[in-house]
Amino acid sequence: LGNPFAVRLLKALFLVKYIRDFRATAKNLRILMLDGFNVDIKALTRQVEESLELLVQQTYIQRHGDEYEFLTNEEKDVESEIKATDIDLSEAADELAKIAFEEVLKIQKVCYEANGQHYAFSRKLDDRLLGREQELAIHLISFFNDHDEKTIKARTVGRSELLVIMPPDKRLMDDLILLKKTDKYIRQNVTTTQKDSIHRILAEKSSRNRERQQDLQQQVRALLGRARLYIAGQEVEESAEDSRTRIISACQKLIARTYPNLIMLPGVNYTEKDILGILLAKQPSLAGLSEAEQEMLAFIQGNHRNGIRTTVKVLVDKFESNPYGWYLMAIVCTLAKLCSLGKIEVQLDGSLLDDNELEKALKNTRSHANLILKPQVEFSAAQVRVLKGFFNDFFDRPPLHQDAKALAQETGEALQALQQTLRDYQRQTADYPFLKNLEEPLDVISGLTGKPYAFYLTELDRQATDLLDLKDEKIDPLVSFMTGSRRKMYDDIRNFLKAEKANFSYLGNDAQSRLRAVIDDPFRHRNNTFQDAMVLLEETRREVQRRVEKEREKAVGQLDAWEKQVTGLKEFAVVPGELQQEIRETFNRVRESLTSQNLIAVINDTVRRFEDQEYRDCLNKVISWKPVPAPSVYPRETKPLPPVAEPIIESISKTIRQVAFDKPIL
């Protein structure tokens, strides 16, 4: 070695190699090398460090973190072979990137404190992209980089990246290279070597390598805590000592510098749930469009003027990037606000999307490339005023909206509602024959529905006069009738004529024809026609009721007389009680049926049929009844007598044989 002190130090390391309780650090080895009280400690420390470095270079010892270990002959041979193993420096750089980004920083997205949104960062090491590229980046400059710091800083001026320049650290670089060499050597030799001692050494090397990797994490963490940070060539001062905290804090400043237009967004954290509410609001702010809304509207209008098609995807790509940095839901909700105010219209496959359809399309990011955005056509104040006047005159109410698009859409919806109402009325033509007059209005209204909103602002005025005449002459009278009190009067008269049709022939007056005239043409006389008809209806109803009651009383009286005649027969007194009850129940049943009957013809027919059938049956049951003879107490044999045919007694109705006789039978 040519260095007596290094030889002494090597002997000391040999002596303590197998003393596990002794940590062979540079400080402890310096204590071992003291040979008196008057030694210069600083000089001795420097001498120990230089000797340790020499011994490591000559592969007499190996370093594990802060500790040093004497190498046996076999261990020295293995260590020499490890140092002679070839690796690409990029492998060590990759290991540094892995330790820095995945184990120390662990940063893929940074939450921006001003709006609570997460922004993705790409990772770079020495101008080399690691993984997917993002607009923002954390660029780590390591000791593997050959460029000087001034040149590196100058190259970041036009980039949206945080430059992290690690201070040089030869020991860290050596440890990274040794880590990769050791790992490669073990993988190449662990299965080929035959000696047990070598297997033991390789196993120990593998264990030491894992420890070295843990130590590297601490070294990288400490080194990043001292790294210099730059944004756009300007150094960023961070007081935090923790490396991850320093980097995240610097990223906050990078986001703010990269996206200066973030301040355009209001302090609202938009979510998917807000989209439908914004679309349905329709009411402009008293302060007008916000700065974000104006910016987005200007972009869409500019593209439209230049013949450039704008989709939602184009819009998102534009406002997610520099200088805006808006998050997806903020972009979508700002667009929804412009749509609700009628500034922008959204088309899908050539069709305009309404509120509910638009909400679903905006939530589905896969459809964003097919959603075409167009500025709403500007309409003059005169066109809006004319449509408002027509709406008020035709629907007898003022419109709810003042904006051109919303007013036109409201007009289309009102026409569709009127069309549905008229169709519902037309289905009742069987009960109201005059509703057949709705055919012409329905054809006209149907031709006005389903049109683009611009039609109502530009074309509807040409038909306004004819539509208002049609409304006054045909639509209003019919709708007023169907929704007013005259419909109930009409139903009362119609139902009365239908129910009492059979009784009118017994009245002998013209009430039926007068009521029928009102039903056949309810619009002929509009003044007091139905009031007079209702008076006539009540009078006629009372007259019919009186006549029905009179006929019912007459019929019941006839039944009472017939029952009195039957029960007054001397034969009735001797028939059994069961038969008497049966005959009385026959009369009672007919009386009850007459009580619930309101048709005079049916009342009379019931009495006639009773006289021809049931009344005669009752008489026959009374006069033909005979008691059964009792059996003889002393039977004797007698010669049977020839049978004698008894006469059959049968009653006939006096309607068949008119006889002036005061008894019911002859």
Side-chain angles (χ1 to χ4, degrees):
L1 290 174
N3 187 332
F5 186 84
V7 174
R8 286 178 57 207
L9 186 60
L10 179 61
K11 291 178 180 179
L13 284 168
F14 171 71
L15 291 174
V16 299
K17 176 177 176 64
Y18 299 110
I19 302 176
R20 296 303 179 188
D21 294 336
F22 181 82
R23 296 182 67 246
T25 62
K27 180 180 179 181
N28 291 340
L29 290 172
R30 184 196 66 192
I31 296 173
L32 284 182
M33 300 306 293
L34 283 172
D35 56 1
F37 294 103
N38 298 321
V39 175
D40 186 347
I41 298 300
K42 290 184 178 180
L44 180 61
T45 300
R46 184 168 58 254
Q47 195 175 15
V48 168
E49 291 176 350
E50 291 174 352
S51 298
L52 289 173
E53 184 67 23
L54 176 62
L55 292 172
V56 170
Q57 290 177 359
Q58 298 296 324
T59 322
Y60 285 102
I61 64 174
Q62 64 179 357
R63 179 173 55 81
H64 300 295
D66 293 333
E67 298 183 32
Y68 296 86
E69 182 182 3
F70 178 87
L71 294 176
T72 64
N73 290 338
E74 286 185 334
E75 291 173 341
K76 180 178 179 181
D77 293 340
V78 171
E79 186 71 13
S80 298
E81 291 177 3
I82 289 175
K83 289 183 177 180
T85 302
D86 290 331
I87 63 166
D88 193 328
L89 284 181
S90 63
E91 296 181 38
D94 289 341
E95 185 66 26
L96 174 62
K98 177 182 177 182
I99 294 173
F101 287 115
E102 297 182 11
E103 299 173 5
V104 177
L105 297 180
K106 300 178 181 179
I107 296 175
Q108 289 184 331
K109 291 184 177 182
V110 173
C111 179
Y112 186 47
E113 296 173 356
N115 60 12
Q117 299 302 314
H118 291 78
Y119 291 84
F121 279 72
S122 58
R123 302 170 173 184
K124 292 183 179 181
L125 176 69
D126 298 331
D127 280 327
R128 186 159 54 92
L129 179 65
L130 308 172
R132 185 177 178 182
E133 186 170 11
Q134 306 291 344
E135 189 168 31
L136 301 172
I138 298 175
H139 191 178
L140 187 64
I141 302 297
S142 73
F143 32 75
F144 292 105
N145 196 298
D146 295 333
H147 298 88
D148 63 281
E149 185 173 331
K150 184 177 180 180
T151 303
I152 294 172
K153 288 191 295 183
R155 291 170 58 185
T156 64
V157 173
R159 300 181 182 179
S160 301
E161 63 182 28
L162 172 65
L163 190 67
V164 182
I165 301 180
M166 301 176 67
D169 190 318
K170 186 176 183 304
R171 176 182 168 183
L172 176 60
M173 183 170 64
D174 291 344
D175 284 351
L176 284 169
I177 294 173
L178 184 59
L179 176 77
K180 300 307 294 183
K181 286 185 174 183
T182 303
D183 183 62
K184 182 177 181 180
Y185 179 83
I186 292 173
R187 285 188 284 106
Q188 290 175 343
N189 294 276
V190 70
T191 58
T192 58
T193 185
Q194 302 295 325
K195 296 178 65 175
D196 292 339
S197 58
I198 300 299
H199 272 293
R200 179 189 58 77
I201 294 173
L202 292 180
E204 185 177 352
K205 291 288 183 183
S206 178
S207 175
R208 291 288 190 179
N209 225 28
R210 289 192 294 270
E211 295 175 2
R212 181 178 290 114
Q213 192 166 31
Q214 295 295 323
D215 184 60
L216 284 170
Q217 290 184 26
Q218 299 302 322
Q219 293 182 61
V220 171
R221 181 175 286 108
L223 209 60
L224 289 175
R226 303 194 310 271
R228 303 180 69 178
L229 309 177
Y230 293 89
I231 296 177
Q234 300 296 320
E235 187 169 3
V236 178
E237 297 294 338
E238 292 293 340
S239 59
E241 296 181 358
D242 179 69
S243 57
R244 188 171 187 274
T245 303
R246 292 183 75 230
I247 300 298
I248 291 178
S249 178
C251 287
Q252 298 284 328
K253 298 176 181 178
L254 175 63
I255 294 172
R257 186 187 184 283
T258 305
Y259 303 129
N261 288 353
L262 269 175
I263 60 175
M264 292 183 177
L265 292 178
V268 178
N269 190 10
Y270 292 108
T271 65
E272 276 192 356
K273 297 179 181 179
D274 299 323
I275 298 176
L276 184 59
I278 293 173
L279 289 172
L280 296 177
K282 307 293 185 184
Q283 296 298 325
S285 170
L286 295 177
L289 294 180
S290 67
E291 190 176 4
E293 294 160 2
Q294 292 176 6
E295 190 79 6
M296 184 175 290
L297 179 60
F299 173 72
I300 297 172
Q301 289 175 335
N303 281 359
H304 184 71
R305 285 193 300 269
N306 296 326
I308 302 174
R309 190 177 76 164
T310 305
T311 64
V312 174
K313 185 178 186 306
V314 170
L315 196 72
V316 170
D317 291 342
K318 167 71 176 177
F319 288 96
E320 275 188 340
S321 61
N322 185 357
Y324 300 97
W326 300 355
Y327 57 98
L328 177 62
M329 278 302 106
I331 299 171
V332 171
C333 288
T334 302
L335 174 61
K337 183 64 177 297
L338 292 175
C339 294
S340 70
L341 296 177
K343 302 297 182 181
I344 299 297
E345 58 186 30
V346 184
Q347 294 182 358
L348 178 62
D349 300 329
S351 300
L352 286 177
L353 300 182
D354 60 13
D355 296 335
N356 292 318
E357 293 174 343
L358 181 56
E359 181 212 10
K360 294 178 182 177
L362 291 177
K363 286 182 176 180
N364 183 8
T365 55
R366 289 179 294 182
S367 68
H368 284 182
N370 300 319
L371 298 178
I372 300 174
L373 307 178
K374 292 183 179 180
Q376 181 179 302
V377 179
E378 295 292 336
F379 299 99
S380 66
Q383 289 174 314
V384 176
R385 184 173 61 255
V386 168
L387 182 57
K388 287 170 62 178
F390 170 80
F391 189 101
N392 187 71
D393 294 339
F394 193 79
F395 297 107
D396 297 321
R397 60 180 174 86
L400 298 176
H401 299 93
Q402 307 299 318
D403 178 74
K405 180 178 179 181
L407 173 62
Q409 290 177 333
E410 184 182 2
T411 303
E413 293 169 359
L415 287 170
Q416 285 183 336
L418 177 60
Q419 178 191 34
Q420 186 60 47
T421 299
L422 297 182
R423 282 179 176 170
D424 292 340
Y425 288 154
Q426 194 181 41
R427 295 188 184 100
Q428 303 178 55
T429 304
D431 293 329
Y432 307 97
F434 53 85
L435 290 177
K436 63 184 179 181
N437 295 329
L438 285 174
E439 291 181 2
E440 180 187 356
L442 258 176
D443 291 341
V444 174
I445 299 299
S446 298
L448 298 175
T449 57
K451 299 289 187 181
Y453 73 89
F455 169 85
Y456 302 106
L457 289 157
T458 59
E459 303 292 334
L460 188 62
D461 183 47
R462 302 175 185 178
Q463 308 177 44
T465 302
D466 294 337
L467 288 171
L468 292 173
D469 291 342
L470 185 66
K471 169 183 181 294
D472 293 337
E473 295 173 6
K474 293 190 175 182
I475 297 178
D476 277 0
L478 293 175
V479 173
S480 176
F481 180 89
M482 295 300 290
T483 57
S485 60
R486 288 188 297 167
R487 177 178 177 177
K488 183 179 184 306
M489 298 179 187
Y490 182 96
D491 291 341
D492 289 344
I493 296 173
R494 183 190 62 201
N495 295 336
F496 175 75
L497 291 176
K498 183 178 179 180
E500 304 295 344
K501 179 179 180 180
N503 289 333
F504 281 118
S505 60
Y506 295 91
L507 297 183
N509 57 34
D510 62 345
Q512 179 186 12
S513 59
R514 290 166 60 189
L515 292 173
R516 176 60 61 186
V518 176
I519 294 300
D520 292 340
D521 190 359
F523 300 101
R524 178 177 296 177
H525 305 289
R526 299 186 182 179
N527 295 330
N528 297 319
T529 301
F530 275 94
Q531 286 76 8
D532 296 342
M534 293 304 293
V535 173
L536 178 61
L537 174 65
E538 291 303 317
E539 293 176 352
T540 306
R541 182 179 282 122
R542 288 194 295 271
E543 179 63 25
V544 170
Q545 189 64 31
R546 285 195 298 269
R547 186 58 185 268
V548 170
E549 291 294 335
K550 182 178 179 181
E551 293 297 330
R552 186 184 292 115
E553 290 175 2
K554 179 180 176 182
V556 172
Q558 183 64 61
L559 284 175
D560 292 343
W562 284 334
E563 184 178 14
K564 186 175 180 181
Q565 289 178 350
V566 173
T567 57
L569 294 172
K570 62 180 183 298
E571 289 87 352
F572 185 82
V574 297
V575 299
E578 295 83 355
L579 184 55
Q580 291 181 5
Q581 183 63 26
E582 180 183 346
I583 292 172
R584 293 184 187 277
E585 288 179 355
T586 300
F587 282 93
N588 291 335
R589 176 177 51 78
V590 178
R591 284 193 194 92
E592 290 178 2
S593 67
L594 291 176
T595 302
S596 60
Q597 184 55 252
N598 292 317
L599 294 179
I600 297 174
V602 175
I603 292 174
N604 293 337
D605 186 61
T606 300
V607 174
R608 180 185 58 77
R609 285 188 288 103
F610 178 80
E611 182 182 10
D612 291 344
Q613 299 293 333
E614 295 174 277
Y615 175 56
R616 190 157 58 93
D617 291 342
C618 289
L619 288 174
N620 289 335
K621 288 178 182 179
V622 172
I623 62 178
S624 62
W625 183 84
K626 290 184 178 180
V628 180
S632 175
V633 180
Y634 305 103
R636 61 183 177 177
E637 294 183 2
T638 58
K639 186 177 182 180
L641 297 176
V644 179
E646 295 187 5
I648 299 176
I649 302 174
E650 182 180 4
S651 65
I652 62 174
S653 174
K654 67 180 181 179
T655 59
I656 302 175
R657 297 288 185 271
Q658 295 295 333
V659 180
F661 197 67
D662 58 354
K663 292 184 179 182
I665 57 174
L666 291 177

